Amino acid sequence: MTTERNVVIIPTSHLDLFWLGDYRNCLERGEEVIRDYLDRAIESGDETFVIDTTIFAEYFLAQNPEYEGPIRKLIEEGRLEIGAAYIDRWENLVLGESIIRNIQIGRAWGRDRLGIDIKLAAHPDLPGLNAQTGQIYAQAGIDYYVTSRKLFQEGRVWRHRAPDGTAMTMLTWPEHYVFIPLLDTGLHHEADGVWFPPETQLSYDDVAGRYPHGTIAVSGSAGDLTKSSDFTERYGQDLRDYVAKYRSEDPDLTIGYAIPATVLAPYLNTDTELAEVSGSIPSVWGVAPDEEMRFFHRVRALEALLLDAETASAIGIAAGRAALPDSSGNWRGLFAEDAYFASDDTPPEGKEWEWLWRMHVFTQDHNGGGQDGPLSIFQKKVRHDRMKGYALEVVDHALGGGDAQQPGILRTRLGRSATELLLDADTTAALQPWLENLPAGTWQPLAEHEGSPTAALNLVPAHGVSTSPLQVSEVLGAISCDDAEQAIGIQTEHLQVSVDRATGTVTITEKATGAQWPVPVGAAYAVPELGNDVTLKTDEDGRVDASVESVELQDGGPVLARVRIRWSLLEVVWTTTVRVWGASPRVDIDTQVDWPGFEKWQIRMPMAAVGRAAVTHGTPFHASGWLDVPVEQQSRMPDEISQENIDAYREIQHWAHLRSETADSGLGIITTHPAFRHDGDALEAVLLRTAPSCGDPRMAWTNPGRTVWNFSFIPTPADWQGADMPELADMSWRSPRVVVGGGQSALELLNNTGDDVRLSALFAEGNNISARLVNQSGRERTVRLRGAAVGASAELVDLDGKVQSSIDTVDGEITLTLPAWRIQTISLGAPGNR
């Protein structure tokens, strides 16, 4: 060899929060790993280390306060770097606001605890990437992102460009996030064939193209939660010995230690020519790995509740109430346990919202399972229940406390709110006297086949963020039902719906266009899963089809009509409820099962027959066509799905849009369910996966007990942007919330009379109210904001809280134009300063 090559090794250990199941075991193990590598760095004088996430750094310093001085010194010397994310969350499964809060919490910890401005995002194991990552991270103060998998697996520095034009500098480890041989030394090690293909070694091809500034960065990790002794065990000798051996064997190889900051500094704020990719990158683990399916449904419902609670608190402040209830002094954080002698983890005054978001994002680490997988499921559910209770306390404090005879309604959207509203059994019981006095045609009691009665309401149309007495309106246009022998027919002003008694197929016909969409509910089926939760191998020849047992008409109006379909699959009874609303062109298809915990199955339900090119779906603050995949993506590692399955599976957020291939029309599907598959002919929802855990094959994601899936189908224009799918999905996800006893006052906090944009969050910091707007479209949109939150002026701030510019109010209105795909936070000030 005659070509000089510069290689730096970056020692690290991928710190999974739930890889061992119990988060406490992972944090304890992480504490041992960090201490081991810090001691090596201190002793050696040249070795370095990277801590992926701040939750591990936070825990380490809490257990080892005497290391604060050495940590500060190593950071100052450029030999220690900490990733800014609080936890190593999923990319394609976590909603946009959680991604923002996760990075804000992590960076705030770095400033408050160590006085450092963290610039690194370290997500070495994440299986996908969403299109808006660059904009979110750059706005939050992140300069570069270190990862593996997905694409450029030979190793490369590259740029990922967000749809608003923001670019993030990316470093992809060669082959994997573990150490690979730098030369053909003939050494064999345990990692060979497990972490990467056999006989792998570092490629020196096209170094000038892959690393224009000449330095190749290689991970020095031995894997997940591994210490230096584990490196020796897996690779046959210490990392130091490898470095010494390579130096002696090849005089043209310059080798040393570094951190990402020093490797990537030459690429920042320069015009260095790099490979560039845009758009979302699908997961190389398929769909919804490492968790039960209902976990994802629950997390998305909880995020809506948490956002509603923040908004309610801001409304309460504007109305002169305290931001939080007195009970907030007794709240317990994510580390609070009822046993094991853990602390109560009570949030400090002024940090209550951060503590709630910490709990929320904490449960969304990208790993679960392992030896104590069922315990991790329970630990996450405990925190979800805790957070739900606290959020409801906030809503009741801010808006409730009045006479239950006059309920209130909380609306948390800038645009129009949904008019269709289902009350749960508890709310129905609390409001029963009020309901019975409503005019005919405005509400409908619903008898349930199990449990207490519920109710459906048709709300008065409304726009903007507000609280007011709950008001209803009569459904215009009667619902007619034909309970015929072969099919049940339902007619509304907008739709004609037929439910076939033999097949369970629900056919939705839009009257205005004649567009017809069959949804073959009864064609659900199961296939065996042969791999684990991340390799996703199936036996398509082992398919088992469902059989329809009964189709019954339950209700015929005036607010909605309902049909119940009972079907059997794997000798388990499933119940699908079809709701056809009278006031809007919407059909809900909800499915419920009490699953007995059978292992190694994948359950699928066909949605509609269109080609892949006709499907677009929601991603965090963005949208992706099914086929919009970077050409650089490749399946390469043993712990990833096949290239065929990368083409077939997608994780979606909130919505999918199907463009008709025979008519100028489309179909919107709105759901909290994330997992979908396309076999080339039709879109399918992956209802369940009960594969073994990649952490421990003895533990499978059995999903025992009850799971419910919600899908809403709405005929739309052929173009997803013309249909404004993000807006339709947000109307459903952020639907109005009934507040028992909350109808004593009315207050409009914020309204938009301009173009539609999403209100991602509206929250108070102290008494100052801020709103985060998202233009989730490909064209600029102008908003015009009015309401009690609008004062004489406002400030535009980034996600790091830095002021970008000021904007004046004219005639009580703030006018702001958002470029395409822009995420913009506006600080509106304190309601009292009006």
Side-chain angles (χ1 to χ4, degrees), residues 52 58 158 176 210 235 241 258 316 410 456 507 510 532 540 547 576 578 716 726 814:
D52 288 350
E58 174 187 57
W158 54 287
H176 218 313
R210 291 159 53 207
Y235 287 88
D241 297 328
L410 169 66
T507 301
E510 184 181 25
N532 59 42
E540 298 299 316
S547 60
T576 296
V578 181
T716 70
I814 292 174

Side-chain angles (χ1 to χ4, degrees), residues 155 202 236 286 426 487:
L202 180 64
D426 290 342

Side-chain angles (χ1 to χ4, degrees), residues 444-512:
Q444 180 179 338
L446 302 174
E448 303 299 336
H449 69 285
E450 58 180 48
S452 302
T454 60
L457 279 67
N458 187 55
L459 301 180
V460 171
H463 289 70
V465 178
S466 66
T467 180
S468 64
L470 196 162
Q471 295 179 308
V472 294
S473 65
E474 184 178 356
V475 176
L476 300 178
I479 298 174
S480 64
C481 300
D482 180 15
D483 196 0
E485 181 178 352
Q486 294 186 343
I488 296 173
I490 301 169
Q491 299 258 5
T492 71
E493 180 184 359
H494 308 281
L495 301 176
Q496 177 179 319
V497 178
S498 173
V499 184
D500 189 282
R501 290 189 182 277
T503 66
T505 295
V506 180
T507 301
I508 303 168
T509 303
E510 184 181 25
K511 287 185 174 181

